Amino acid sequence: LCLREARRVAIFGGTHGNEMSGVILVNLWKDNGTEIQRKGVETKPFITNPKAVKKCTRYVDTDLNRAFTTENLSAPGGEDLPYEVQRAQEINRIFGPKGSPDAFDVIFDLHNTTSNMGCTLILESSDDHFNLQMMSYIKKAIAPDNCPVLLTEHPLLKYATSRSVAKHPIGLEVGPQPQGVLRSNIFEAMRLVLKHALDFIELFNSGMEFSPCTVDVFRVSERMDYPRDANGNII
């Protein structure tokens, strides 16, 4: 299987404005991008939801990481649209259009979680051979540390992420870290995964062949809510 080179790469921070590792890393790299430069690759660090970052809140009107639906992206633009829907349209113009040959090759979307799940890579399609090879490379590079892969392709549970604008969308979820807080070990763990990911892209573009691989993944199979009473309150 021969895949096209990945020449245009974006790194999104602040898709959720209170998840600080991605916000701080992207701002760091916007000031000095030497660390994320790779031969033959244009790497663009980008703050996805600046208003939410400024307020240090997850979002302003609606969750940006659920806003990249066909309906939202094709809605007539205007000030009456929720802020994140306007922002989704703008991001789609810069990095997309979603699903088109002109879209960015790779988008890394950086997230934190309060859950103690370490570094977890999020894969949106089991048919994305480029991402599978990259994830295999990252897992080997950071061993013996663990880096699980979460596959979120279940059609009823999939959601319209900001990274889905790219040909190869990759989520990176690192925790535990409270919202609005920066922990140095979580920050450095995220930074290290990005380093190996960009190294892989450079090697891939240089023509290196990667052997067939298998990647163990966790699958999202259902969503379970808390037990609730007749009024919908958690019990």
Side-chain angles (χ1 to χ4, degrees):
L1 180 67
C2 191
L3 298 168
R4 294 182 67 87
E5 298 154 344
R7 295 294 180 193
R8 293 191 304 156
V9 175
I11 302 170
F12 284 0
T15 297
H16 294 137
N18 56 3
E19 297 176 9
M20 300 309 294
S21 298
V23 172
I24 302 298
L25 275 172
V26 164
N27 281 330
L28 183 81
W29 291 330
K30 283 173 77 172
D31 287 341
N32 181 358
T34 312
E35 189 182 328
I36 54 169
Q37 285 166 8
R38 296 295 184 277
K39 190 179 173 188
V41 184
E42 175 204 342
T43 310
K44 185 178 176 69
F46 187 79
I47 293 290
T48 338
N49 194 336
K51 279 192 180 178
V53 168
K54 195 172 181 183
K55 291 185 167 188
C56 197
T57 183
R58 185 177 172 92
Y59 56 80
V60 178
D61 292 327
T62 186
D63 193 332
L64 182 61
N65 215 31
R66 308 290 186 275
F68 287 76
T69 60
T70 309
E71 299 76 47
N72 280 345
L73 296 180
S74 59
E79 291 301 308
D80 52 339
L81 286 175
Y83 167 69
E84 278 82 5
V85 174
Q86 294 178 48
R87 189 67 179 155
Q89 292 182 351
E90 190 177 350
I91 289 165
N92 192 49
R93 281 194 295 274
I94 299 169
F95 297 98
K98 182 174 174 174
S100 80
D102 295 329
F104 261 57
D105 297 302
V106 181
I107 292 176
F108 296 102
D109 192 17
L110 308 182
H111 289 268
N112 290 119
T113 173
T114 55
S115 168
N116 187 7
M117 59 197 279
C119 287
T120 300
L121 292 160
I122 304 175
L123 178 66
E124 299 205 354
S125 166
S126 54
D127 293 327
D128 191 334
H129 298 282
F130 178 86
N131 277 358
L132 285 163
Q133 284 287 359
M134 184 194 295
M135 290 175 179
S136 171
Y137 177 90
I138 293 168
K139 283 166 77 70
K140 286 176 187 160
I142 70 165
D145 289 342
N146 195 20
C147 187
V149 175
L150 176 65
L151 177 63
T152 60
E153 69 181 348
H154 191 298
L156 299 176
L157 300 173
K158 202 172 174 68
Y159 50 91
T161 59
S162 54
R163 59 187 173 268
S164 65
V165 168
K167 297 182 182 85
H168 304 290
I170 298 169
L172 177 56
E173 187 89 54
V174 191
Q177 180 171 279
Q179 279 126 8
V181 168
L182 187 70
R183 289 184 58 187
S184 63
N185 60 326
I186 301 297
F187 173 83
E188 291 299 346
M190 180 178 277
R191 191 178 196 168
L192 184 64
V193 170
L194 257 291
K195 176 208 149 3
H196 291 308
L198 293 169
D199 288 349
F200 168 84
I201 293 172
E202 184 175 45
L203 290 169
F204 179 88
N205 287 349
S206 73
M208 181 181 279
E209 284 189 26
F210 292 88
S211 307
C213 68
T214 56
V215 178
D216 290 336
V217 301
F218 291 87
R219 278 179 194 275
V220 178
S221 57
E222 64 176 316
R223 188 169 284 139
M224 289 182 67
D225 195 9
Y226 292 101
R228 294 177 186 271
D229 64 20
N231 299 320
N233 300 311
I234 293 171
I235 55 169

